[in-house]
Amino acid sequence: MKNLLDIKGIKKHFPVRGTKDVVTAVNDISFNIREGETFGLIGESGSGKSSVGRCILNLISPTSGEMRYKGMEYSKFGKKEAAVIRTEMQMVFQDPYYSLNPRKTVWETVEDTLRVNKNLAATDRKKMTVDALAKVQFFENDYEKYPHQLSAGQQQRVGIARAIAPKPKFIVLDEPTSSLDLSVRAEIIDLLVKLQKDSGITYLFISHDLSTIQFLCHRVAVMYLGRIVEYGDVNEVFHNHRHPYSKALLASVMKPDPKIPRSDYRLSGEIPSPINLPKGCHLASRCPEVEAKCREIDPPFIDVGNGHFVNCHHAAPLEKERIPVTQKN
Amino acid sequence: MIGLKTLLQIQDLHTYFYLRKGISKVVNGLQLSVREGELLGVVGESGSGKTVTAMSVVNRVRMPGKVVKGKVIYQGQDLLKLSEEELRKYRGKEIGLIAANARGNLNPLVKVGNQIANVYLAHNKVNKKEAWEKAVEMLRMVGMNDALRRAEAYPHEMSGGMAQRVMIALALVNSPNLLIADDATNGLDVTVQSQIMDLILDIVNKQGASGILITHDLGVVAQCCSEIAIMYCGQIVEKGPVTAFFDEPKHPYSRNLLNSLPERRITQERIELKGSLSSPLSLPTGCVYQTRCPYVMDVCRKVEPSMLHVDDNYNVKCHLYQEKTENRGSANEKLA
């Protein structure tokens, strides 16, 4: 499969007001997203997942690094050039209610995103709006409703309609299901899967809900303190994870099955502040497998085979010794 | 470990909110009991009345809400009949409540150490210094690094996980017999959630206390609780031991709920859960689940099902089972 997006070494620093400190939200991240796949980004709050999503859409511009969409380096595009790419890259936000304008009806919300494209005739625009709304099961009698008249699941469907209306190739989904109830969540996931099947959209799915990621994604990257610590095929990462952080993260997921015992692999403490990051491996202060060199030297990315990469000194390269899987499945 | 004695029994609880739009029946004939040493998980979607139930137990529902009917019997005493003065002896001492949204429920103007110390002072004959020391000890117990310094902090200086730990310390400072955790881990990262649950389990086991864990996370219940109760529109529709429930949930709602889990969907096809909860302002007569139930029958629209005892400690509120109490097997075939 071809790469749709190539992200190379992006960094994002936010200055802290009143000081010379910077928050390193994204710290030298590289990955690629293939056409038609769902790429998952997981990690705790504060790990920089959302910042990565926003950088990719150029909603915030990365401090440094390269981003290519179909081979085009677009991070330095001017307004006019960026507008072309914008229609092909869209976003769905976490909180459906707060991301909709309370004074716009369902129809206006979706149609207005298409007005940005000045070359679009009014009739085409109307037709595209009807199409997008039909795809999320919204029909004529709901067009004039305002967000407060809709349930959370319906609101999120409007958010999705707004994103798919310009017929994009790529959508960033920033925790689209985390504020929803279980049954509504299932409904939104079904919808996303169906849209991808029908029109081959590529997704970047950002979430801390690991079971949804496992269900939906083809490849996954685990983030910790602005860095990717492990990435690879979803089954590799979920069943054969090597990085101590991934182990702890996946061990803390409580499986809805009383027969699977809880794993006792835990990290101590909390995520350190992203201001003044420590030297060496960022996990060193919490890692149960820490060694002297972890505190000094940045760990390299080690290829452990099957397109699975681990950013840890302890990961054995290529099939030497498989670390026993901590979770039974 | 689990005693046979019932510690808390909720009988036919009705809590209504009197709104301009009408009467919102948030808790609607709820029946529930907790035995000594038992950890019960109460699961329901948003709006099913979980939090209001917790508030009703300690009689803390305020205008425009009111507990209209029912009994909350704790160790033989109906808590709803007690005066505010008498209730204070129970709240914080016998029953500890960990509220959802920790940061919103802590007093922003008081150091967290003092908030814990105040709860201790209210129920124990100690001086302020001893109470403060107890507060620091509690913070240490809930796994707070640098407890001495943290006790001096205000809630806004803490992360969500830390504030949640403070709430837990608050609820546990007087070693309650019954712990009610209302969405104690909601909105926390999985790693922090795991640490918090370890803590609650540890304390419940060590002190031999009982607990009610209110959550919408079936994973937490599967991994931590011994019993599960499923709540829908202010009623308990199914209750039983966790292992039996996850093997074979009985109520159609429970089945759908379980099947919407991504973990289950990897192997199983999902039955669609259509629509949303009936509004508590206009509940249908008969079964509350009739609007979404794929197995709905005429009787469901007319008669409210009663809580049926279908197996050891296993109850379900559904007409599908009423017909077949003697011969449960065929009801299951009907569902399959």
Side-chain angles (χ1 to χ4, degrees):
Chain A
M1 259 190 287
K2 267 199 328 204
N3 285 350
L4 189 72
L5 271 164
D6 284 291
I7 308 298
K8 221 168 159 190
I10 54 165
K11 286 188 185 181
K12 179 67 197 176
H13 295 166
F14 293 106
V16 181
R17 224 192 311 175
T19 63
K20 281 183 187 151
D21 293 337
V22 287
V23 172
T24 313
V26 181
N27 192 2
D28 200 2
I29 275 188
S30 305
F31 63 97
N32 52 58
I33 300 178
R34 296 173 192 153
E35 230 166 281
E37 80 172 343
T38 304
F39 190 89
L41 212 49
I42 53 182
E44 288 174 274
S45 18
S47 60
K49 309 183 294 289
S50 292
S51 296
V52 170
R54 279 159 199 261
C55 277
I56 289 178
L57 292 187
N58 231 344
L59 292 175
I60 50 175
S61 47
T63 313
S64 65
E66 253 179 54
M67 302 191 294
R68 287 177 190 280
Y69 173 75
K70 292 181 174 167
M72 287 180 286
E73 157 69 324
Y74 64 95
S75 53
K76 304 284 182 300
F77 271 6
K79 254 192 178 170
K80 264 188 193 161
E81 296 161 290
V84 180
I85 280 194
R86 277 279 158 78
T87 58
E88 298 199 359
M89 299 166 97
Q90 292 289 325
M91 181 152 183
V92 176
F93 299 90
Q94 172 169 8
D95 193 309
Y97 183 71
Y98 289 103
S99 63
L100 295 175
N101 185 337
R103 303 183 60 173
K104 278 187 186 174
T105 60
V106 170
W107 176 269
E108 285 166 349
T109 301
V110 178
E111 195 191 14
D112 283 2
T113 49
L114 297 169
R115 283 180 203 275
V116 180
N117 185 352
K118 297 275 189 306
N119 302 325
L120 211 59
T123 47
D124 289 342
R125 195 171 65 222
K126 291 230 162 68
K127 196 178 164 294
M128 281 167 86
T129 312
V130 174
D131 281 355
L133 283 167
K135 276 186 188 155
V136 300
Q137 303 293 317
F138 264 92
F139 302 102
E140 212 152 336
N141 44 352
D142 294 322
Y143 287 169
E144 295 309 314
K145 282 189 179 160
Y146 286 92
H148 73 269
Q149 295 171 294
L150 306 172
S151 70
Q154 289 172 324
Q155 286 165 5
Q156 193 58 292
R157 294 211 311 257
V158 175
I160 292 172
R162 175 172 61 180
I164 60 170
K167 301 201 162 59
K169 298 259 173 359
F170 174 69
I171 301 182
V172 173
L173 303 158
D174 190 359
E175 311 238 14
T177 58
S178 35
S179 59
L180 304 174
D181 264 324
L182 202 56
S183 55
V184 185
R185 187 175 299 183
E187 169 197 318
I188 295 292
I189 291 170
D190 284 349
L191 176 65
L192 291 171
V193 171
K194 189 171 176 292
L195 288 173
Q196 189 170 47
K197 257 188 206 154
D198 293 350
S199 45
I201 308 177
T202 309
Y203 292 136
L204 173 65
F205 195 94
I206 300 169
S207 183
H208 60 246
D209 178 5
L210 298 174
S211 47
T212 305
I213 289 265
Q214 189 181 7
F215 178 73
L216 207 62
C217 295
H218 304 105
R219 288 193 306 149
V220 181
V222 183
M223 275 190 79
Y224 182 72
L225 267 186
R227 276 187 189 164
I228 288 178
V229 295
E230 179 160 9
Y231 75 94
D233 186 76
V234 65
N235 289 324
E236 273 284 320
V237 173
F238 275 82
H239 300 314
N240 196 24
H241 33 278
R242 309 293 189 84
H243 199 282
Y245 179 70
S246 322
K247 284 187 212 170
L249 190 69
L250 290 159
S252 8
V253 177
M254 296 197 216
K255 296 256 170 191
D257 186 346
K259 286 185 193 116
I260 302 172
R262 276 178 80 189
S263 153
D264 52 5
Y265 195 97
R266 296 272 189 286
L267 297 176
S268 51
E270 288 193 33
I271 194 162
S273 155
I275 308 170
N276 303 323
L277 286 169
K279 209 161 73 165
C281 177
H282 290 166
L283 191 66
S285 58
R286 298 173 77 189
C287 182
E289 301 171 29
V290 65
E291 278 175 26
K293 71 171 171 187
C294 301
R295 297 185 204 277
E296 295 298 326
I297 310 160
D298 271 1
F301 259 107
I302 296 172
D303 183 353
V304 295
N306 297 339
H308 180 181
F309 292 82
V310 184
N311 187 22
C312 177
H313 287 300
H314 302 309
L318 276 175
E319 300 295 353
K320 261 188 198 155
E321 191 196 345
R322 288 247 151 174
I323 295 167
V325 177
T326 46
Q327 248 170 320
K328 289 177 208 102
N329 264 290
Chain B
M1 217 171 46
I2 297 172
L4 291 169
K5 268 176 75 188
T6 304
L7 183 70
L8 178 83
Q9 192 164 20
I10 306 174
Q11 290 175 355
D12 197 28
L13 185 74
H14 291 256
T15 305
Y16 295 170
F17 285 77
Y18 294 87
L19 308 173
R20 212 172 294 167
K21 293 185 274 187
I23 301 169
S24 179
K25 298 177 179 177
V26 178
V27 177
N28 193 17
L30 180 126
Q31 310 267 10
L32 201 62
S33 62
V34 185
R35 286 172 295 172
E36 277 177 4
E38 180 179 271
L39 197 55
L40 168 76
V42 177
V43 181
E45 290 179 85
S46 351
S48 58
K50 306 187 297 285
T51 301
V52 175
T53 305
M55 289 302 176
S56 304
V57 169
V58 286
N59 205 353
R60 268 224 48 201
V61 182
R62 293 286 172 268
M63 280 294 284
K66 202 184 164 201
V67 180
V68 199
K69 201 174 138 193
K71 284 179 180 164
V72 176
I73 300 169
Y74 176 82
Q75 288 185 333
Q77 174 68 51
D78 186 355
L79 296 183
L80 299 178
K81 290 221 173 78
L82 294 177
S83 67
E84 204 53 15
E85 193 72 12
E86 288 167 316
L87 254 175
R88 282 177 160 236
K89 291 188 193 125
Y90 286 88
R91 292 184 190 145
K93 170 77 181 160
E94 290 285 330
I95 301 174
L97 179 72
I98 305 174
N101 180 14
R103 250 184 295 191
N105 278 300
L106 290 169
N107 188 335
L109 302 176
V110 181
K111 289 174 184 168
V112 296
N114 280 334
Q115 299 193 38
I116 301 170
N118 287 341
V119 179
Y120 193 62
L121 268 172
H123 294 282
N124 296 281
K125 287 195 177 91
V126 288
N127 62 34
K128 278 188 176 170
K129 190 165 165 280
E130 285 164 333
W132 175 262
E133 277 161 10
K134 177 75 180 175
V136 175
E137 185 199 316
M138 286 308 293
L139 287 175
R140 209 166 278 143
M141 198 177 87
V142 297
M144 194 86 88
N145 303 327
D146 203 2
L148 210 57
R149 195 170 59 86
R150 283 291 169 198
E152 301 270 357
Y154 290 91
H156 74 269
E157 298 173 277
M158 305 193 139
S159 69
M162 280 198 278
Q164 201 64 57
R165 281 164 204 258
V166 173
M167 280 309 279
I168 293 174
L170 258 174
L172 295 173
V173 64
N174 290 312
S175 319
N177 268 327
L178 177 69
L179 183 70
I180 303 176
D182 181 9
D183 245 346
T185 59
N186 191 22
L188 300 178
D189 280 311
V190 281
T191 50
V192 184
Q193 176 183 28
S194 210
Q195 289 170 4
I196 300 270
M197 283 318 301
D198 286 348
L199 195 72
I200 292 178
L201 285 177
D202 193 43
I203 287 157
V204 167
N205 289 337
K206 250 187 224 159
Q207 299 184 348
S210 317
I212 302 178
L213 225 63
I214 297 173
T215 176
H216 51 242
D217 191 337
L218 283 162
V220 172
V221 177
Q223 298 282 307
C224 306
C225 297
S226 46
E227 299 271 318
I228 184 167
I230 302 291
M231 203 163 169
Y232 189 82
C233 282
Q235 301 181 345
I236 299 294
V237 295
E238 178 160 2
K239 180 178 184 269
V242 162
T243 38
F245 175 83
F246 281 92
D247 272 351
E248 194 205 323
K250 299 204 163 46
H251 197 280
Y253 175 64
S254 318
R255 288 182 174 233
N256 278 341
L257 200 63
L258 222 56
N259 283 337
S260 32
L261 287 169
E263 287 92 343
R264 296 236 166 188
R265 296 179 55 194
I266 294 170
T267 51
Q268 288 168 20
E269 213 26 61
R270 187 170 74 98
I271 317 160
E272 217 152 307
L273 194 53
K274 284 206 179 89
S276 50
L277 272 80
S278 309
S279 160
L281 283 163
S282 54
L283 288 175
T285 42
C287 175
V288 282
Y289 190 55
Q290 57 175 277
T291 48
R292 295 167 92 183
C293 185
Y295 308 105
V296 64
M297 301 174 287
D298 280 343
V299 61
C300 305
R301 297 206 178 87
K302 289 174 196 137
V303 187
E304 188 183 326
S306 50
M307 200 69 171
L308 297 160
H309 192 83
V310 293
D311 210 337
D312 291 343
N313 288 324
Y314 209 106
N315 295 293
V316 61
K317 196 172 181 177
C318 179
H319 283 306
L320 282 172
Y321 294 90
Q322 190 170 39
E323 296 168 51
K324 311 279 178 187
T325 30
E326 325 81 49
N327 181 13
R328 233 170 23 87
S330 46
N332 285 329
E333 275 157 32
K334 204 166 175 180
L335 271 177

